[in-house]
Amino acid sequence: MKNKPLFFSLISILCIIEPLIKVLYFKAITHFDFMVIMSNLFARDSFRDVFDFWLVYPLAGILLLKLRKWTYFAFMSLLGYIVYSITTYEKYTWPYNSDSPFMYHYVVVIMAVMLFMTFLLPGVWEPFFDRRVRWWEPKVRYPAGINCALKNDNLIFASEIINISLTGAFLKDSSYFKVGDKLDLEFSFLGKEISLPVKVVHKHSLAGRNGYGVQFTFNSFKQNVLIARIIHVLKQSNKAV
């Protein structure tokens, strides 16, 4: 699967177009020209009025477009604000100017709350916290086949870098380390001895080979540049997978 879950995209779209839905609703019930409607809407220019009418739903939708840890909490905060606004809405007040929020808003909020409930499942909330499981984001990895060594406070053992990316590598399976371990990865590349701190983040199979995915835990900008140079060399060899 290469696409973001459809439910995420649907709620994003419904939230982003929400101000337009309100404008069309006003047009349908008043039969005023759009210029008259817009001039009345823009007459409400306080920050709270502008935020409630034009921004709160689109912001929530935009936050779902790119899944990150901070967007998770920001979306939940906006969802809480939206639910509070609807449940405390007073008749014929801003931003709906009707006896109750429109059915459209109830549908969107119910769907968003359902999304909130699914966040309780690890398979859903993981994308906000672990970029490895965002299958819809392209992750370019380059076959390496580089012999390496891993060491911790107690021992040093040999392994192999099967492939590598800007943020981590996939190493040959070994009984000497496990998910959660923090190690130093050492290898030679283009005549240079390289040492990088890594964290073992997952175990899986790739093309029939068992191994561990490690994440680089850079402690200097120089290490970022070094990996970028290695990726550049591998990229030039047209080995991207």
Side-chain angles (χ1 to χ4, degrees), residues 161-179:
I161 301 175
I162 298 174
N163 65 52
I164 191 170
S165 71
L166 286 170
T167 57
F170 183 60
L171 307 181
K172 184 176 68 174
D173 193 10
S174 173
S175 61
Y176 290 108
F177 61 98
K178 62 184 183 300
V179 173

Side-chain angles (χ1 to χ4, degrees), residues 4 61-68 70-71 128 136-137:
K4 185 184 300 183
I62 291 172
L63 288 171
L64 287 178
L65 293 178
K66 200 168 186 66
L67 305 183
R68 294 294 185 271
W70 73 269
T71 64
F128 286 90
W136 52 86
E137 292 187 357

Side-chain angles (χ1 to χ4, degrees), residues 61-119:
I62 291 172
L63 288 171
L64 287 178
L65 293 178
K66 200 168 186 66
L67 305 183
R68 294 294 185 271
K69 181 184 295 186
W70 73 269
T71 64
Y72 172 91
F73 293 108
F75 174 78
M76 290 306 175
S77 298
L78 285 178
L79 178 58
Y81 177 81
I82 290 171
V83 171
Y84 173 79
S85 298
I86 285 183
T87 56
T88 60
Y89 176 73
E90 297 181 5
K91 294 182 178 182
Y92 300 104
T93 60
W94 191 258
Y96 306 109
N97 291 328
S98 64
D99 61 345
S100 66
F102 311 145
M103 182 57 65
Y104 180 91
H105 298 90
Y106 286 113
V107 171
V108 172
V109 168
I110 290 172
M111 293 177 65
V113 170
M114 291 172 59
L115 181 61
F116 169 80
M117 297 302 294
T118 61
F119 284 151

Side-chain angles (χ1 to χ4, degrees), residues 226-240:
L226 185 59
I227 289 298
R229 288 177 178 173
I230 293 173
I231 294 298
H232 177 72
V233 172
L234 294 174
K235 185 177 181 179
Q236 293 304 309
S237 67
N238 296 316
K239 292 182 180 179

